[in-house]
Each structure stands twice: as structure tokens, then as C-alpha cells.
Amino acid sequence: MAKLQAIRGMNDILPDQTPNWQYVEKCFQAVVRRYGYREIRFPILEQTQLFKRSIGEVTDIVEKEMYSFDDRNGDNLSLRPEGTAGCVRAADQHGLLFNQQQRLWYQGPMFRHERPQKGRYRQFQQFGVEAFGMAGPDIDAEVIQLSASLWQDLGLENYLTLEINNIGTAEDRKRYAAALTAFLVFHAEELDDDARNRSHSNPMRVLDSKNPDVQEALKGAPALVDYVSDESVIHYSELKSLLTQVGVEFTESPRLVRGLDYYNNCVFEWTTDSLGAQGTVCGGGRYDGLVEQLGGKPTVAAGFAMGVERLVLMLDSLGKIPEATAQVIDVYMVVVGGQLAGSAVLLAKQLRQRFPEIGLITHCGGGKYSNQMKRAFNSGARLAIVLEAESEQPLETVKIRHLIDSGDSVSVEIANCGDKLAEILGISE
RNA sequence: GUGACUGUAGCUCAGCUGGUAGAGCCCUGGACUGUGACUCCGGUGGUCGCGGGUUCGAACCCCCGUCAGUCACCCCA
């Protein structure tokens, strides 16, 4: 019988790696707290319709990457491929949006059926923030600044670059898309199949094609800038001014087009060249029309999401994860002789009650002294408490041995073990 | 979804032109050591990703399929 294995593209994160994740999570939570964002949690499963209506019917995500299925009631459900749609649905359903401002954050797994690759998995973890009810460019700037704060805390500020672009309003893009389609149809012979197919369905996606021939053909194509309304232009230039004032560097990328339909006005991406082909670590922008599109009252919004796997990969390869994040044990209790098991569990219980912060492993499974000591050293503990019977008499003393500093050991009466431990570990009660 | 490369013990790898597998580390037993780590001796562990085909016989420098990984395309976080 073949061994069962994890679903392709869905990874187990093992104990050696989890401290790295906890480190990133801790940093992220510290930053969002600093900016006054509150956590929201919403289901991993939603009606497929939610994603079709928000992300867009003709996007790659909806067309070929969603995990969709009929449940036992015959409802068509999908594992969420991103967080914004569910966040909007949840916030609106519970009346958090109408006539209000909200700063929200979330974290959790997303699912897309893509071919796995470094930094791209079928189940992947995202952090995101969404801000509702604020129309000005100041909230756009805040959201971007928040992400920049995180890079600073993680020590990544020199490894990520910010690209921004103004994609105008939905109306602007409708007019632009028409003009672009006309251009692409005229130049159809110079395009590749992929570009040709998109000329009608999603012409703006053709713009960021990596095919040099396509890029060559695009010379002379109508520019989005010329179709963007004055209002958008002003909003965008105010955002740029704010970013400059706050010291967030950026480059403008006229070709930056996000793959989800709900974005409008300013969009942005943080990218790195240290992750190979999956260079985008964080992306977002404004989505003023989405709430209404999903049936809510018109509510402006902006937000972003970042890929945690990519961040962890980056931090790991750059050596930016502090040593101290790994979980360590403080005390390893060595128990030689089966008749001491009762004394051991009792002492351990008392110590754990008295020092709730320390980590204490009691050796289980018996074995001779030398092997237990070996485990004690390998555990990384600072101290070993040694319970060893000298005779048939009840145990009166234990040894406390330094494992890291000196190797010295002291004998203490079992009743005074806690006091001695507090003294050595410098715990004040 | 497309292409290229890769897949041998828990880990890192070796295996000459086809004849049914080895090393180091790890783990473990013992010796030694004033009770772990040095040194010495011994041991566990692999139907060579899986399934077929070619061959008297393939881990193999043969073929096909399949699964998985890596990288690129694509996509996006």
C-alpha cells in the first residue's frame, strides 16, 4: 500500500520552521496594532459566486485556479483564493461598513490550483489589511506605509522595492480597454496566442506580458494615463506627495496591472529579486466599487495582502531571522530508576506551578544515566535536574547541573529545589 | 496548464561499460572516561519514487507511463 502524502502544493510546516513563522506573525501583529487595525476572521469556504463577482469572471484565478465543488446541498462553494472578497462579505453582512470607517486585518490560508514552484503553493498563507470608508489618498498612503513599517521591523527595507501605478476608475478603464482592444486587434499578427486571446476578454493583462515580441508590438499602444480622469490623477499625485513626505521610496510602473478586477485608482506592489520568478511579496490598492458590487452600500476601500511563505523564504535566505526565535527548553529532568517516577512527576508539577514561564521536560521512557544526560544536552536546556536513587531510601536530594555555562553541579534537598532554580535562573517571584 | 532538469537508507551522497546495494552523519548496544560531547568495537534501518516494457538478469549509463520536487513560462501573494 502506497504511503499517503500531502496534497501537491500543500506543505507541512515542521517544528524547525514554525518559529520562523511565529516570528513573522508576531512582527505583523505588532505593526497592525501600532496602526490601530483590528483582526477579523472569516471562513475559508464561501459561495463560489462571491469570488466570481469580486475577483472577476475572466480572471485566471476564477477561470482556472479555484478549488470549487458542490457540497451535499448542491451549493457551489470554493476555497477562498484570496482574502478581500470574504472580508468585505463578512464586514458588510454584519453592518461594519455602512457609514463607518473600519481598519481591519486578517491572516490565514488561501487556495489556488497553480503549478507549484518556489514561493508559489496551492495552499499559501496571506496577511492582509483592509481599510473601509476613507476616500482620500491619505489612507492609501497609510496602508503602504504600514507595509513599509513591517519591512523595517523585519530588516527587509533594502531588499524590497515599491512600484505604484494609477489605473483610474472602472469607467476610465472601460473606455481605455475599448481603445486598447482596437489597437490589439489591429496588431493581432504581431501578438502571441495568449495575448491575442486576451485582446477582448482582458486586454490590460496583455500589457505586462514578458514576451519581448509582444512588448515590441505594444509600442505605440494607447496609454492608460491618457484615459484616466482628472479626479484620479489628483488623487494619485497627492498619494505620491504623501509617500515622499513620509520617506517611502517608490517607482512608477505604467505597466503595473493587478490581476483582480476590483482594483481602481492607485495600485501597488512590493517586489524583490531574491525569490526568482515569484518576486511579488505584497500587493494591493484601492477598490472603491467592490462593496457595492457585492450588494452593499457604496463604500470606498483600500488594502493589500502579502504572501507569508515568500516572506519567510526571503528572511531565511537573507539570514534575517533572529536566533532567539527558536523555542528552547530551560530545564531537563533526568530520572534514573523507575521507582523515582512518582517523585519526578510530583517535583515537575510543583516546579511548573511555581514557574509557569519556564519550559521543563521530564525524561520519559527510562534508560541509563548517560543516555538521559545526552538528551538533556541535546535539548538545549540550561539546566538538568538529576533524580537518582542512592539507595532504597526515599529520595532526599537532587542535583542541579549546568549544561551550558559551566557544567558544574550542586546538590540540593528536594524541598529546596525550587528556590535554587529561581536563584540560578534569576527568576524573581 | 506547457517545457527543462531531478527522484538510492531519517539527513547528505557514492554506486565503473546492465548481474539483485555502500559511506558519512543521525539513532542505538557495549568498552573507555569521576556519570553527554573525544576514541574504539558492534547494531537497527533501503523491494534504489511508483507501475509496466526490453533482457537469462536492471538502481543503472534502455524505453513508456505515472507521482513528486526544482527552475522557467504562465499567474500572483
Short mmCIF file of all heavy atoms in Angstrom, two decimals, chain A residues 8 60 112 115 118 120 126 198 205 258 280 282-283 310 369 374-375, chain B residues 1-3 28-30 35-36 67 69 71-77:
data_model
loop_
_atom_site.label_atom_id
_atom_site.label_comp_id
_atom_site.label_asym_id
_atom_site.label_seq_id
_atom_site.Cartn_x
_atom_site.Cartn_y
_atom_site.Cartn_z
N ARG A 8 -0.47 17.81 -3.38
CA ARG A 8 0.55 18.58 -4.09
C ARG A 8 0.37 20.08 -3.84
O ARG A 8 -0.75 20.61 -3.93
CB ARG A 8 0.43 18.30 -5.58
CG ARG A 8 1.19 19.27 -6.43
CD ARG A 8 2.11 18.57 -7.40
NE ARG A 8 1.65 18.71 -8.76
CZ ARG A 8 2.49 18.97 -9.78
NH1 ARG A 8 3.77 19.13 -9.55
NH2 ARG A 8 2.02 19.06 -10.98
N ASP A 60 -7.71 34.82 -14.33
CA ASP A 60 -7.13 33.48 -14.25
C ASP A 60 -7.54 32.79 -12.96
O ASP A 60 -7.79 31.59 -12.94
CB ASP A 60 -5.60 33.57 -14.31
CG ASP A 60 -5.13 33.75 -15.74
OD1 ASP A 60 -5.95 34.13 -16.57
OD2 ASP A 60 -3.93 33.53 -16.00
N ARG A 112 -5.10 28.22 -4.34
CA ARG A 112 -5.20 28.39 -5.79
C ARG A 112 -4.54 27.20 -6.45
O ARG A 112 -3.43 26.81 -6.09
CB ARG A 112 -4.47 29.68 -6.25
CG ARG A 112 -5.15 30.93 -5.76
CD ARG A 112 -4.44 32.18 -6.26
NE ARG A 112 -4.79 33.33 -5.42
CZ ARG A 112 -4.22 34.52 -5.51
NH1 ARG A 112 -3.27 34.73 -6.41
NH2 ARG A 112 -4.59 35.50 -4.73
N ARG A 115 0.48 25.49 -10.70
CA ARG A 115 1.62 24.57 -10.69
C ARG A 115 2.59 25.04 -9.62
O ARG A 115 3.08 26.16 -9.68
CB ARG A 115 2.30 24.60 -12.06
CG ARG A 115 3.45 23.66 -12.21
CD ARG A 115 3.00 22.33 -12.78
NE ARG A 115 4.15 21.52 -13.17
CZ ARG A 115 4.44 21.24 -14.43
NH1 ARG A 115 3.68 21.67 -15.40
NH2 ARG A 115 5.49 20.52 -14.71
N LYS A 118 8.81 27.44 -6.34
CA LYS A 118 9.29 28.12 -5.15
C LYS A 118 8.49 29.40 -4.92
O LYS A 118 8.35 30.24 -5.81
CB LYS A 118 10.78 28.47 -5.27
CG LYS A 118 11.29 29.18 -4.01
CD LYS A 118 12.79 29.14 -3.87
CE LYS A 118 13.47 30.12 -4.80
NZ LYS A 118 14.90 30.29 -4.49
N ARG A 120 5.40 29.65 -4.57
CA ARG A 120 4.03 29.58 -5.08
C ARG A 120 3.47 28.20 -4.77
O ARG A 120 3.93 27.21 -5.31
CB ARG A 120 4.00 29.81 -6.59
CG ARG A 120 2.59 29.89 -7.12
CD ARG A 120 2.55 30.24 -8.57
NE ARG A 120 2.87 29.11 -9.44
CZ ARG A 120 2.94 29.21 -10.76
NH1 ARG A 120 2.74 30.37 -11.35
NH2 ARG A 120 3.22 28.16 -11.48
N GLN A 126 -1.64 34.14 3.75
CA GLN A 126 -1.60 35.58 3.50
C GLN A 126 -1.90 36.37 4.77
O GLN A 126 -2.70 35.95 5.60
CB GLN A 126 -2.65 35.98 2.45
CG GLN A 126 -2.23 35.74 1.01
CD GLN A 126 -3.17 36.40 0.02
OE1 GLN A 126 -4.32 36.69 0.33
NE2 GLN A 126 -2.68 36.65 -1.18
N ARG A 198 -6.48 37.40 -25.08
CA ARG A 198 -6.88 38.36 -24.06
C ARG A 198 -7.28 39.71 -24.66
O ARG A 198 -7.73 40.59 -23.93
CB ARG A 198 -5.73 38.59 -23.09
CG ARG A 198 -5.57 37.43 -22.15
CD ARG A 198 -4.43 37.69 -21.24
NE ARG A 198 -4.45 36.73 -20.15
CZ ARG A 198 -3.38 36.37 -19.48
NH1 ARG A 198 -2.21 36.89 -19.78
NH2 ARG A 198 -3.46 35.51 -18.50
N ARG A 205 -4.35 42.92 -19.37
CA ARG A 205 -3.39 41.90 -18.96
C ARG A 205 -2.29 41.72 -20.01
O ARG A 205 -1.22 41.19 -19.69
CB ARG A 205 -4.09 40.56 -18.72
CG ARG A 205 -5.11 40.56 -17.61
CD ARG A 205 -4.52 40.76 -16.25
NE ARG A 205 -3.39 39.90 -15.97
CZ ARG A 205 -2.48 40.15 -15.04
NH1 ARG A 205 -2.58 41.25 -14.33
NH2 ARG A 205 -1.49 39.33 -14.83
N ARG A 258 -3.02 44.99 -11.87
CA ARG A 258 -3.29 43.89 -10.96
C ARG A 258 -4.23 42.89 -11.60
O ARG A 258 -5.04 43.23 -12.45
CB ARG A 258 -3.86 44.43 -9.65
CG ARG A 258 -3.12 45.63 -9.13
CD ARG A 258 -2.48 45.40 -7.77
NE ARG A 258 -1.48 44.37 -7.77
CZ ARG A 258 -1.58 43.23 -7.09
NH1 ARG A 258 -2.61 42.99 -6.36
NH2 ARG A 258 -0.62 42.35 -7.13
N THR A 280 6.81 39.02 -6.31
CA THR A 280 5.88 39.88 -5.60
C THR A 280 5.61 39.36 -4.20
O THR A 280 5.17 38.24 -4.01
CB THR A 280 4.55 39.99 -6.36
OG1 THR A 280 4.81 40.49 -7.67
CG2 THR A 280 3.59 40.92 -5.64
N CYS A 282 4.05 41.48 -1.81
CA CYS A 282 2.88 42.17 -1.27
C CYS A 282 2.25 42.99 -2.38
O CYS A 282 2.96 43.63 -3.15
CB CYS A 282 3.34 43.07 -0.11
SG CYS A 282 2.06 44.17 0.52
N GLY A 283 0.94 42.95 -2.46
CA GLY A 283 0.28 43.73 -3.49
C GLY A 283 -1.08 44.22 -3.03
O GLY A 283 -1.74 43.57 -2.22
N ARG A 310 6.56 33.61 1.07
CA ARG A 310 7.62 34.37 0.39
C ARG A 310 8.43 35.18 1.37
O ARG A 310 9.65 35.32 1.22
CB ARG A 310 6.99 35.27 -0.69
CG ARG A 310 6.37 34.44 -1.80
CD ARG A 310 5.75 35.28 -2.89
NE ARG A 310 5.09 34.40 -3.85
CZ ARG A 310 4.44 34.81 -4.93
NH1 ARG A 310 4.36 36.11 -5.19
NH2 ARG A 310 3.89 33.95 -5.74
N TYR A 369 21.69 6.50 32.78
CA TYR A 369 22.05 7.89 33.07
C TYR A 369 22.70 8.60 31.87
O TYR A 369 22.31 9.70 31.50
CB TYR A 369 23.01 7.93 34.26
CG TYR A 369 23.36 9.32 34.69
CD1 TYR A 369 22.62 9.97 35.68
CD2 TYR A 369 24.41 10.02 34.10
CE1 TYR A 369 22.93 11.25 36.08
CE2 TYR A 369 24.71 11.30 34.47
CZ TYR A 369 23.98 11.91 35.46
OH TYR A 369 24.28 13.19 35.83
N LYS A 374 22.63 12.78 27.71
CA LYS A 374 22.83 13.14 26.31
C LYS A 374 21.60 13.87 25.77
O LYS A 374 21.70 14.91 25.11
CB LYS A 374 23.09 11.87 25.50
CG LYS A 374 23.53 12.12 24.09
CD LYS A 374 23.93 10.80 23.46
CE LYS A 374 24.29 10.99 22.00
NZ LYS A 374 24.66 9.70 21.38
N ARG A 375 20.45 13.35 26.09
CA ARG A 375 19.22 14.01 25.66
C ARG A 375 19.08 15.39 26.31
O ARG A 375 18.61 16.33 25.69
CB ARG A 375 18.00 13.16 26.01
CG ARG A 375 17.84 11.96 25.12
CD ARG A 375 16.54 11.23 25.43
NE ARG A 375 16.55 9.89 24.86
CZ ARG A 375 16.29 9.63 23.59
NH1 ARG A 375 15.98 10.61 22.76
NH2 ARG A 375 16.33 8.40 23.13
P G B 1 -2.90 20.01 -14.72
OP1 G B 1 -4.34 20.12 -14.49
OP2 G B 1 -2.30 18.70 -14.97
"O5'" G B 1 -2.55 20.94 -15.95
"C5'" G B 1 -3.43 20.97 -17.07
"C4'" G B 1 -2.96 22.01 -18.06
"O4'" G B 1 -2.99 23.33 -17.44
"C3'" G B 1 -1.51 21.87 -18.51
"O3'" G B 1 -1.39 20.90 -19.52
"C2'" G B 1 -1.21 23.28 -19.01
"O2'" G B 1 -1.74 23.48 -20.30
"C1'" G B 1 -1.96 24.14 -18.00
N9 G B 1 -1.10 24.61 -16.91
C8 G B 1 -1.23 24.31 -15.58
N7 G B 1 -0.31 24.89 -14.85
C5 G B 1 0.47 25.60 -15.76
C6 G B 1 1.62 26.42 -15.56
O6 G B 1 2.19 26.67 -14.50
N1 G B 1 2.09 26.95 -16.74
C2 G B 1 1.55 26.72 -17.97
N2 G B 1 2.15 27.32 -18.99
N3 G B 1 0.48 25.96 -18.18
C4 G B 1 -0.01 25.44 -17.03
P U B 2 0.01 20.00 -19.60
OP1 U B 2 -0.22 18.91 -20.56
OP2 U B 2 0.50 19.71 -18.25
"O5'" U B 2 1.00 21.06 -20.28
"C5'" U B 2 0.79 21.48 -21.63
"C4'" U B 2 1.96 22.32 -22.09
"O4'" U B 2 1.96 23.57 -21.35
"C3'" U B 2 3.33 21.73 -21.81
"O3'" U B 2 3.72 20.79 -22.80
"C2'" U B 2 4.21 22.96 -21.83
"O2'" U B 2 4.48 23.41 -23.14
"C1'" U B 2 3.30 23.98 -21.13
N1 U B 2 3.54 24.02 -19.67
C2 U B 2 4.65 24.73 -19.24
O2 U B 2 5.42 25.29 -19.98
N3 U B 2 4.83 24.75 -17.87
C4 U B 2 4.02 24.13 -16.93
O4 U B 2 4.31 24.23 -15.75
C5 U B 2 2.90 23.42 -17.48
C6 U B 2 2.71 23.40 -18.79
P G B 3 4.75 19.59 -22.38
OP1 G B 3 4.83 18.68 -23.54
OP2 G B 3 4.36 19.05 -21.06
"O5'" G B 3 6.13 20.35 -22.23
"C5'" G B 3 6.77 20.89 -23.37
"C4'" G B 3 7.99 21.66 -22.96
"O4'" G B 3 7.61 22.72 -22.04
"C3'" G B 3 9.05 20.89 -22.18
"O3'" G B 3 9.89 20.13 -23.03
"C2'" G B 3 9.80 22.00 -21.49
"O2'" G B 3 10.69 22.66 -22.37
"C1'" G B 3 8.67 22.96 -21.13
N9 G B 3 8.19 22.74 -19.76
C8 G B 3 7.04 22.09 -19.36
N7 G B 3 6.90 22.06 -18.07
C5 G B 3 8.01 22.72 -17.58
C6 G B 3 8.40 23.00 -16.25
O6 G B 3 7.84 22.71 -15.20
N1 G B 3 9.61 23.69 -16.21
C2 G B 3 10.34 24.07 -17.30
N2 G B 3 11.47 24.73 -17.07
N3 G B 3 9.98 23.82 -18.56
C4 G B 3 8.81 23.15 -18.62
P U B 28 19.80 7.36 20.88
OP1 U B 28 18.84 7.60 21.98
OP2 U B 28 21.13 8.02 20.87
"O5'" U B 28 20.03 5.79 20.76
"C5'" U B 28 18.92 4.89 20.72
"C4'" U B 28 19.41 3.49 20.43
"O4'" U B 28 20.03 3.46 19.12
"C3'" U B 28 20.51 2.99 21.36
"O3'" U B 28 19.97 2.49 22.57
"C2'" U B 28 21.14 1.89 20.52
"O2'" U B 28 20.36 0.72 20.52
"C1'" U B 28 21.09 2.52 19.13
N1 U B 28 22.35 3.24 18.81
C2 U B 28 23.40 2.48 18.34
O2 U B 28 23.33 1.27 18.19
N3 U B 28 24.54 3.18 18.07
C4 U B 28 24.74 4.54 18.22
O4 U B 28 25.83 5.03 17.93
C5 U B 28 23.61 5.25 18.71
C6 U B 28 22.47 4.60 18.98
P G B 29 20.90 2.45 23.86
OP1 G B 29 20.01 2.22 25.00
OP2 G B 29 21.79 3.63 23.82
"O5'" G B 29 21.79 1.15 23.63
"C5'" G B 29 21.19 -0.14 23.75
"C4'" G B 29 22.23 -1.21 23.57
"O4'" G B 29 22.73 -1.18 22.21
"C3'" G B 29 23.49 -1.05 24.41
"O3'" G B 29 23.33 -1.49 25.74
"C2'" G B 29 24.48 -1.92 23.64
"O2'" G B 29 24.24 -3.29 23.86
"C1'" G B 29 24.09 -1.57 22.20
N9 G B 29 24.90 -0.46 21.70
C8 G B 29 24.53 0.86 21.59
N7 G B 29 25.48 1.62 21.13
C5 G B 29 26.55 0.75 20.93
C6 G B 29 27.86 1.00 20.45
O6 G B 29 28.37 2.07 20.09
N1 G B 29 28.62 -0.17 20.41
C2 G B 29 28.17 -1.41 20.78
N2 G B 29 29.04 -2.41 20.68
N3 G B 29 26.96 -1.65 21.23
C4 G B 29 26.20 -0.52 21.27
P G B 30 24.17 -0.79 26.89
OP1 G B 30 23.72 -1.42 28.15
OP2 G B 30 24.11 0.67 26.72
"O5'" G B 30 25.66 -1.26 26.59
"C5'" G B 30 26.03 -2.62 26.75
"C4'" G B 30 27.41 -2.86 26.21
"O4'" G B 30 27.49 -2.42 24.83
"C3'" G B 30 28.57 -2.12 26.86
"O3'" G B 30 28.95 -2.67 28.10
"C2'" G B 30 29.66 -2.29 25.81
"O2'" G B 30 30.20 -3.60 25.84
"C1'" G B 30 28.85 -2.11 24.52
N9 G B 30 28.94 -0.73 24.04
C8 G B 30 27.98 0.25 24.09
N7 G B 30 28.40 1.40 23.59
C5 G B 30 29.70 1.14 23.20
C6 G B 30 30.67 1.98 22.60
O6 G B 30 30.56 3.17 22.29
N1 G B 30 31.87 1.32 22.37
C2 G B 30 32.11 0.00 22.68
N2 G B 30 33.33 -0.47 22.38
N3 G B 30 31.22 -0.81 23.23
C4 G B 30 30.05 -0.17 23.46
P U B 35 32.21 12.17 34.92
OP1 U B 35 33.00 13.30 34.44
OP2 U B 35 31.56 12.24 36.22
"O5'" U B 35 31.13 11.77 33.82
"C5'" U B 35 31.15 10.46 33.21
"C4'" U B 35 29.79 9.82 33.40
"O4'" U B 35 29.54 9.75 34.82
"C3'" U B 35 28.62 10.62 32.85
"O3'" U B 35 28.32 10.22 31.53
"C2'" U B 35 27.47 10.24 33.75
"O2'" U B 35 26.80 9.09 33.24
"C1'" U B 35 28.16 9.85 35.06
N1 U B 35 27.92 10.83 36.13
C2 U B 35 26.88 10.57 36.99
O2 U B 35 26.17 9.59 36.87
N3 U B 35 26.69 11.51 37.95
C4 U B 35 27.42 12.65 38.15
O4 U B 35 27.13 13.41 39.07
C5 U B 35 28.48 12.86 37.20
C6 U B 35 28.68 11.96 36.24
P G B 36 29.27 10.46 30.28
OP1 G B 36 29.52 9.17 29.63
OP2 G B 36 30.40 11.31 30.70
"O5'" G B 36 28.33 11.31 29.32
"C5'" G B 36 27.14 10.72 28.80
"C4'" G B 36 26.64 11.59 27.67
"O4'" G B 36 26.22 12.86 28.21
"C3'" G B 36 27.70 11.95 26.64
"O3'" G B 36 27.80 10.95 25.65
"C2'" G B 36 27.14 13.24 26.06
"O2'" G B 36 26.10 12.99 25.14
"C1'" G B 36 26.55 13.88 27.31
N9 G B 36 27.50 14.79 27.97
C8 G B 36 28.20 14.56 29.12
N7 G B 36 28.96 15.56 29.47
C5 G B 36 28.73 16.51 28.48
C6 G B 36 29.25 17.81 28.33
O6 G B 36 30.06 18.41 29.05
N1 G B 36 28.75 18.43 27.19
C2 G B 36 27.87 17.87 26.32
N2 G B 36 27.51 18.61 25.29
N3 G B 36 27.36 16.65 26.45
C4 G B 36 27.83 16.04 27.55
P C B 67 0.20 11.88 -12.77
OP1 C B 67 -1.17 12.39 -12.53
OP2 C B 67 1.08 12.55 -13.76
"O5'" C B 67 0.95 11.80 -11.38
"C5'" C B 67 0.33 11.18 -10.26
"C4'" C B 67 1.33 11.03 -9.14
"O4'" C B 67 2.41 10.16 -9.55
"C3'" C B 67 2.04 12.31 -8.72
"O3'" C B 67 1.26 13.11 -7.86
"C2'" C B 67 3.27 11.75 -8.02
"O2'" C B 67 2.96 11.26 -6.73
"C1'" C B 67 3.62 10.57 -8.93
N1 C B 67 4.58 10.94 -9.97
C2 C B 67 5.94 11.00 -9.62
O2 C B 67 6.27 10.73 -8.44
N3 C B 67 6.86 11.33 -10.55
C4 C B 67 6.47 11.62 -11.79
N4 C B 67 7.40 11.94 -12.68
C5 C B 67 5.10 11.58 -12.17
C6 C B 67 4.20 11.24 -11.24
P G B 69 5.21 18.49 -5.14
OP1 G B 69 4.71 19.25 -3.99
OP2 G B 69 4.64 18.72 -6.49
"O5'" G B 69 6.78 18.68 -5.24
"C5'" G B 69 7.59 18.56 -4.08
"C4'" G B 69 9.04 18.69 -4.46
"O4'" G B 69 9.39 17.64 -5.40
"C3'" G B 69 9.42 19.97 -5.19
"O3'" G B 69 9.62 21.04 -4.30
"C2'" G B 69 10.71 19.55 -5.89
"O2'" G B 69 11.79 19.52 -5.00
"C1'" G B 69 10.38 18.12 -6.30
N9 G B 69 9.85 18.03 -7.67
C8 G B 69 8.55 17.83 -8.06
N7 G B 69 8.41 17.77 -9.36
C5 G B 69 9.69 17.96 -9.85
C6 G B 69 10.17 18.00 -11.19
O6 G B 69 9.53 17.89 -12.25
N1 G B 69 11.54 18.23 -11.24
C2 G B 69 12.35 18.37 -10.14
N2 G B 69 13.64 18.57 -10.38
N3 G B 69 11.93 18.32 -8.89
C4 G B 69 10.59 18.12 -8.82
P C B 71 12.47 26.64 -7.08
OP1 C B 71 13.10 27.68 -6.25
OP2 C B 71 11.02 26.40 -7.00
"O5'" C B 71 12.85 26.90 -8.61
"C5'" C B 71 14.18 27.23 -8.96
"C4'" C B 71 14.34 27.24 -10.45
"O4'" C B 71 14.08 25.90 -10.97
"C3'" C B 71 13.36 28.10 -11.23
"O3'" C B 71 13.69 29.47 -11.22
"C2'" C B 71 13.48 27.49 -12.62
"O2'" C B 71 14.70 27.88 -13.24
"C1'" C B 71 13.55 26.00 -12.28
N1 C B 71 12.21 25.39 -12.30
C2 C B 71 11.71 24.97 -13.54
O2 C B 71 12.41 25.12 -14.55
N3 C B 71 10.47 24.42 -13.62
C4 C B 71 9.75 24.29 -12.50
N4 C B 71 8.54 23.75 -12.62
C5 C B 71 10.23 24.71 -11.22
C6 C B 71 11.46 25.26 -11.17
P A B 72 12.55 30.54 -11.37
OP1 A B 72 13.18 31.84 -11.13
OP2 A B 72 11.39 30.11 -10.57
"O5'" A B 72 12.15 30.42 -12.91
"C5'" A B 72 13.05 30.87 -13.91
"C4'" A B 72 12.55 30.50 -15.27
"O4'" A B 72 12.40 29.06 -15.35
"C3'" A B 72 11.17 31.01 -15.66
"O3'" A B 72 11.17 32.37 -16.05
"C2'" A B 72 10.84 30.09 -16.82
"O2'" A B 72 11.57 30.43 -17.98
"C1'" A B 72 11.37 28.76 -16.28
N9 A B 72 10.29 28.04 -15.56
C8 A B 72 10.07 27.95 -14.21
N7 A B 72 9.00 27.25 -13.90
C5 A B 72 8.48 26.88 -15.13
C6 A B 72 7.34 26.13 -15.49
N6 A B 72 6.49 25.61 -14.61
N1 A B 72 7.11 25.95 -16.80
C2 A B 72 7.96 26.47 -17.69
N3 A B 72 9.06 27.19 -17.48
C4 A B 72 9.26 27.36 -16.17
P C B 73 9.82 33.19 -15.87
OP1 C B 73 10.14 34.58 -16.27
OP2 C B 73 9.26 32.91 -14.54
"O5'" C B 73 8.85 32.55 -16.96
"C5'" C B 73 9.12 32.70 -18.35
"C4'" C B 73 8.10 31.96 -19.16
"O4'" C B 73 8.04 30.57 -18.73
"C3'" C B 73 6.65 32.43 -18.99
"O3'" C B 73 6.37 33.57 -19.77
"C2'" C B 73 5.88 31.21 -19.48
"O2'" C B 73 5.85 31.15 -20.89
"C1'" C B 73 6.73 30.08 -18.93
N1 C B 73 6.20 29.57 -17.65
C2 C B 73 5.06 28.77 -17.70
O2 C B 73 4.54 28.50 -18.79
N3 C B 73 4.53 28.30 -16.54
C4 C B 73 5.11 28.60 -15.38
N4 C B 73 4.56 28.11 -14.27
C5 C B 73 6.27 29.42 -15.30
C6 C B 73 6.78 29.88 -16.45
P C B 74 5.58 34.76 -19.09
OP1 C B 74 5.29 35.73 -20.15
OP2 C B 74 6.32 35.19 -17.88
"O5'" C B 74 4.22 34.08 -18.60
"C5'" C B 74 3.25 33.65 -19.55
"C4'" C B 74 2.19 32.84 -18.86
"O4'" C B 74 2.81 31.70 -18.22
"C3'" C B 74 1.46 33.54 -17.71
"O3'" C B 74 0.41 34.37 -18.18
"C2'" C B 74 0.94 32.35 -16.92
"O2'" C B 74 -0.18 31.77 -17.54
"C1'" C B 74 2.12 31.39 -17.02
N1 C B 74 3.06 31.57 -15.88
C2 C B 74 2.76 30.94 -14.68
O2 C B 74 1.75 30.24 -14.60
N3 C B 74 3.61 31.10 -13.63
C4 C B 74 4.70 31.87 -13.75
N4 C B 74 5.50 31.99 -12.69
C5 C B 74 5.01 32.53 -14.97
C6 C B 74 4.17 32.36 -16.00
P C B 75 0.21 35.78 -17.48
OP1 C B 75 -0.93 36.39 -18.15
OP2 C B 75 1.50 36.50 -17.41
"O5'" C B 75 -0.20 35.39 -15.99
"C5'" C B 75 -1.46 34.79 -15.74
"C4'" C B 75 -1.53 34.28 -14.33
"O4'" C B 75 -0.39 33.44 -14.05
"C3'" C B 75 -1.46 35.33 -13.23
"O3'" C B 75 -2.73 35.95 -13.03
"C2'" C B 75 -1.06 34.48 -12.04
"O2'" C B 75 -2.16 33.74 -11.55
"C1'" C B 75 -0.06 33.52 -12.68
N1 C B 75 1.33 33.98 -12.54
C2 C B 75 1.97 33.72 -11.33
O2 C B 75 1.35 33.09 -10.45
N3 C B 75 3.24 34.15 -11.15
C4 C B 75 3.86 34.81 -12.13
N4 C B 75 5.11 35.21 -11.91
C5 C B 75 3.22 35.10 -13.37
C6 C B 75 1.97 34.67 -13.53
P C B 76 -2.76 37.46 -12.51
OP1 C B 76 -4.19 37.80 -12.41
OP2 C B 76 -1.87 38.31 -13.32
"O5'" C B 76 -2.15 37.36 -11.05
"C5'" C B 76 -2.98 37.19 -9.93
"C4'" C B 76 -2.17 36.72 -8.76
"O4'" C B 76 -0.98 36.06 -9.24
"C3'" C B 76 -1.65 37.79 -7.83
"O3'" C B 76 -2.64 38.11 -6.87
"C2'" C B 76 -0.47 37.08 -7.17
"O2'" C B 76 -0.90 36.21 -6.16
"C1'" C B 76 0.09 36.25 -8.33
N1 C B 76 1.24 36.83 -9.03
C2 C B 76 2.47 36.86 -8.38
O2 C B 76 2.54 36.44 -7.22
N3 C B 76 3.54 37.38 -9.02
C4 C B 76 3.42 37.83 -10.26
N4 C B 76 4.50 38.32 -10.87
C5 C B 76 2.16 37.81 -10.95
C6 C B 76 1.10 37.31 -10.30
P A B 77 -2.44 39.39 -5.93
OP1 A B 77 -3.70 39.77 -5.30
OP2 A B 77 -1.72 40.35 -6.72
"O5'" A B 77 -1.43 38.85 -4.81
"C5'" A B 77 -1.76 39.03 -3.48
"C4'" A B 77 -0.54 38.85 -2.62
"O4'" A B 77 -0.38 37.46 -2.27
"C3'" A B 77 0.71 39.32 -3.33
"O3'" A B 77 1.29 40.37 -2.64
"C2'" A B 77 1.59 38.08 -3.46
"O2'" A B 77 2.84 38.29 -2.91
"C1'" A B 77 0.87 36.99 -2.67
N9 A B 77 0.67 35.78 -3.46
C8 A B 77 -0.01 35.62 -4.62
N7 A B 77 -0.03 34.38 -5.06
C5 A B 77 0.71 33.69 -4.12
C6 A B 77 1.06 32.34 -4.01
N6 A B 77 0.69 31.43 -4.88
N1 A B 77 1.80 31.98 -2.94
C2 A B 77 2.17 32.91 -2.05
N3 A B 77 1.89 34.22 -2.05
C4 A B 77 1.14 34.54 -3.13
#
